[in-house]
Amino acid sequence: MPSEQPRVTHDWLDSDAGPVVRPYAMTGGRVAPSGGDFDLVAFVVATVPDLPIGPQLQPEHHAIVAAAWEPISVVELASQLDLSIGVVRVFLGDLRSAGLIALYEPPAATAPHDVDVLKAVVNGLRAL
């Protein structure tokens, strides 16, 4: 009669949380969005009402398009879907490459910073 192995419990394991999927497993090991980087405060807008069902699209892709039917920022999207920002960025890169979403970056994110304003901020912080 084989002896049963005692079940090991760990203090750090939260059994109520359920199974955990690592971010790199969701993105297939990818850590950067395809087609270039974008600002985290950029607005995402879906360009199609519904995504076609296909093997290349994961449930998270569908959730992103559904949440982005109205403009939403990248960080707000990650928060709303309860996904890490890195995972959302990779999925947004996939969707942007497929033409299923559009990204609009605010002008302040693409414009160079004004050196005089930065100096004034530094001087103000030093005065504190």
Side-chain angles (χ1 to χ4, degrees):
M1 182 171 193
S3 64
E4 288 188 31
Q5 296 287 335
R7 189 168 181 190
V8 179
T9 59
H10 299 281
D11 292 336
W12 53 267
L13 183 61
D14 183 6
S15 59
D16 294 333
V20 176
V21 178
R22 298 284 180 209
Y24 58 82
M26 295 175 78
T27 62
R30 298 173 297 146
V31 294
S34 60
D37 214 2
F38 46 84
D39 200 293
L40 297 179
V41 294
F43 285 99
V44 180
V45 181
T47 58
V48 294
D50 292 316
L51 290 183
I53 303 297
Q56 69 276 12
L57 297 177
Q58 298 178 18
E60 291 81 11
H61 288 109
H62 292 274
I64 288 171
V65 169
W69 191 238
E70 292 185 8
I72 186 171
S73 69
V74 174
V75 292
E76 189 176 352
L77 186 63
S79 174
Q80 183 176 334
L81 297 177
D82 198 24
L83 293 171
S84 73
I85 194 73
V87 169
V88 170
R89 287 175 62 236
V90 171
F91 287 148
L92 287 174
D94 296 343
L95 292 168
R96 180 176 57 181
S97 296
L100 300 172
I101 62 161
L103 285 164
Y104 299 99
E105 295 198 30
T110 57
H113 299 293
D114 185 5
V115 177
D116 293 331
V117 171
L118 293 175
K119 285 180 183 179
V121 169
V122 169
N123 291 335
L125 289 173
R126 286 184 182 152
L128 293 176

